[in-house]
Amino acid sequence: MSAVTYRRPGLLAKDHVFRVPLRHDDPGAGEIEVFGREVVAPGRQDQALPWLVYLQGGPGGKAERPLSTSAWLRRALQDYRVLLLDQRGTGRSTPANRQTLAGMSASEQAEHLSLLRADSIVRDAEVLRERLIGDEPWSVLGQSFGGFCALTYLSLAPDGLRQVMITGGIPTLTGHADDVYRAAYPRVLRKNDAYFARYPADAAIARRIVEHLAEHEVIMPTGERLTPERFQSLGSQFGHAARFDALHYLLEEAFVGDALSDTFLRGVDAVVSFAERPLYAALHEAIYCQDSASGWSAQRVRREFDAFDLGRADRVNFTGEMIYPWMFEQDPALVPLREAADLLAAKSDWPRLYDLDRLARNEVPVAAAVYHDDMYVDRDQALEAAQRVRNARVWVTNEYEHDGVKAAPAVLDRLLAMNRGEA
């Protein structure tokens, strides 16, 4: 373990790098590095503060970098020493991408990627906890996919937990990926309705762009082609309050005469490229798999919703948090992983992520914010799953979107109060 310490306004940070087994059930299979950034309020670095580990959303998302301290972190630093964990395969934790996996066969790539799910992330966290604080338990804050990991943590290693807070991240514990996407497409369509109600003139612009892309080969500044389906995937931002309006500001500068502008194309590339988060695409359906294959679920289920058919629907409806096989043909960051992605989609022997019996006997305090209009995590599936977790208290709110914990310190403040029995 190595550690580097530095200061910046509002916090003191210490960077840790740990060696952990690639396979926790087979230490002889090699090791990888896992990175965590310890953050504490200035002047409190020598105090015996309790620890809070932050599990980032994703999958495949590195921990946030505290450029400007987000709402939850400002609140957390009042009481905790925080660990911002780069989950295995992301950020500074032995990244898994087209470059690092280039020397492997497709089957080897798929095998490696299969070891980057929530169960392995939790076992990494336990290694870090024992090395940092020994036998003492710590608290967990799980945002989005981080909440999925938190429930896996409660299933695999509850003794390591003092309390759990979850924001927008209670998954179905028993459902198939098809159930997830069958519920997701109508939610995304409602976000489209809200978007076009706010910006009605954008419907004509979106249609013009789709028709232009169908008739012309349009190359983005990175050298990649922009296709109608890639443009349609821009709805992935609709579930974040901070990004909901971003598409409008792209569309209002879309054309320079009859050509798509460089400003527009650069902005689109920043959203649709998976160069910075390839695991999000490679593992997105795998995070729901337990003893079954996803079989490219989002692609199959989409056929049930004509509103997303660009050739048949009256309006261009943008898709949301869905991953499709064509992305591994069109995105240069994903093309080298195409065969591995097919193997992962066909894999049916995924281990279970949740121990329903242990969750039913859970003694760790759990507080969860369920966002009523969350585009990414289904409210009804979340509430059904929460009922299976003993000692779980749920706060359903329509005040925030999926990124509420980063926007308002009141979110984490309320969850902490719930676990203290005060709310």
Side-chain angles (χ1 to χ4, degrees):
M1 179 180 73
S2 61
V4 177
T5 303
Y6 58 92
R7 296 175 181 270
R8 52 145 295 176
L11 58 84
L12 178 74
K14 182 184 292 186
D15 292 355
H16 298 277
V17 179
F18 302 86
R19 301 289 299 182
V20 302
L22 173 62
R23 294 177 175 273
H24 285 275
D25 59 352
D26 183 8
E31 292 184 324
I32 58 173
E33 290 186 343
V34 171
F35 170 78
R37 177 170 285 121
E38 174 188 345
V39 182
V40 67
R44 306 195 70 186
Q45 60 268 26
D46 297 324
Q47 297 180 16
L49 298 169
W51 283 74
L52 172 70
V53 59
Y54 179 67
L55 297 177
Q56 172 70 25
K62 63 185 178 183
E64 68 175 79
R65 272 41 180 172
L67 299 174
S68 59
T69 309
S70 61
W72 78 264
L73 186 55
R74 289 197 304 273
R75 174 60 186 87
L77 290 178
Q78 295 177 22
D79 300 315
Y80 293 95
R81 188 180 301 272
V82 175
L83 185 70
L84 301 171
L85 175 65
D86 278 359
Q87 298 162 14
R88 57 167 49 199
T90 75
R92 291 176 59 184
S93 293
T94 307
N97 54 46
R98 67 178 178 86
Q99 295 167 305
T100 61
L101 303 179
M104 301 181 186
S105 66
S107 60
E108 290 170 335
Q109 290 176 342
E111 179 65 19
H112 185 88
L113 292 168
S114 73
L115 300 173
L116 306 181
R117 295 202 310 161
D119 45 358
S120 296
I121 292 168
V122 166
R123 293 184 174 102
D124 290 342
E126 277 295 276
V127 172
L128 272 59
R129 182 184 64 83
E130 291 170 5
R131 294 181 186 174
L132 286 170
I133 57 176
D135 294 332
E136 289 295 316
W138 59 13
S139 299
V140 163
L141 171 60
Q143 158 65 11
S144 191
F145 171 69
F148 295 24
C149 295
L151 287 171
T152 301
Y153 212 142
L154 287 169
S155 298
L156 297 181
D159 291 343
L161 298 174
R162 185 183 304 276
Q163 64 174 326
V164 169
M165 284 82 70
I166 296 173
T167 53
I170 301 181
T172 173
L173 301 178
T174 58
H176 187 272
D178 287 7
D179 303 314
V180 172
Y181 292 108
R182 198 162 279 122
Y185 278 110
R187 295 199 310 276
V188 176
L189 191 57
R190 289 194 292 272
K191 292 296 185 183
N192 275 272
D193 291 341
Y195 176 82
F196 287 113
R198 181 175 297 183
Y199 303 111
D202 285 7
I205 301 173
R207 176 57 65 186
R208 182 185 175 193
I209 293 170
V210 166
E211 291 174 352
H212 183 88
L213 293 174
E215 296 170 2
H216 302 84
E217 183 177 27
V218 176
I219 304 300
M220 292 185 285
T222 55
E224 305 170 37
R225 184 183 178 192
L226 178 59
T227 61
E229 54 269 26
R230 291 190 85 179
F231 169 70
Q232 189 182 19
S233 70
L234 287 172
S236 61
Q237 300 183 101
F238 281 167
H240 294 273
R243 303 179 196 166
F244 182 83
D245 300 293
L247 178 58
H248 170 70
Y249 299 120
L250 273 179
L251 296 188
E252 69 178 5
E253 296 185 82
F255 284 95
V256 175
D258 292 329
L260 290 169
S261 72
D262 283 347
T263 299
F264 169 78
L265 294 175
R266 181 65 188 93
V268 170
D269 172 70
V271 179
V272 303
S273 173
F274 286 97
E276 295 183 4
R277 51 194 180 116
L279 297 187
Y280 181 92
L283 294 177
H284 205 271
E285 295 192 354
I287 66 175
Y288 300 108
C289 292
Q290 301 182 95
D291 300 326
S292 63
S294 72
W296 291 114
S297 178
Q299 177 82 354
R300 289 185 294 99
V301 174
R302 176 175 170 158
R303 301 185 186 112
E304 302 172 16
F305 298 91
D306 290 343
F308 294 96
D309 188 326
L310 290 175
R312 300 171 62 183
D314 294 334
R315 185 181 72 187
V316 174
N317 287 305
F318 294 92
T319 54
E321 194 180 38
M322 290 86 180
I323 300 299
Y324 303 109
W326 58 259
M327 293 176 172
F328 290 83
E329 300 170 357
Q330 297 186 18
D331 189 330
L334 300 181
V335 169
L337 304 177
R338 178 183 174 183
E339 291 183 55
D342 281 333
L343 292 172
L344 291 173
K347 180 178 171 64
S348 60
D349 59 347
W350 294 102
R352 299 202 66 79
L353 296 168
Y354 312 111
D355 185 328
L356 298 183
D357 290 337
R358 179 168 279 179
L359 292 175
R361 302 191 308 270
N362 173 57
E363 297 181 358
V364 178
V366 179
V370 172
Y371 302 124
H372 186 274
D373 301 313
D374 198 327
M375 188 180 82
Y376 305 107
V377 178
D378 187 72
R379 178 187 69 243
D380 293 337
Q381 291 178 356
L383 293 176
E384 190 278 333
Q387 291 179 351
R388 295 173 176 263
V389 183
R390 184 174 178 270
N391 273 337
R393 303 183 70 187
V394 175
W395 166 41
V396 181
T397 175
N398 64 358
E399 296 179 74
Y400 307 100
E401 289 285 353
H402 191 70
D403 53 350
V405 73
K406 296 183 179 182
V411 174
L412 178 56
D413 203 39
R414 176 155 181 160
L415 296 182
L416 290 167
M418 288 167 64
N419 274 342
R420 294 193 302 264
E422 299 172 3

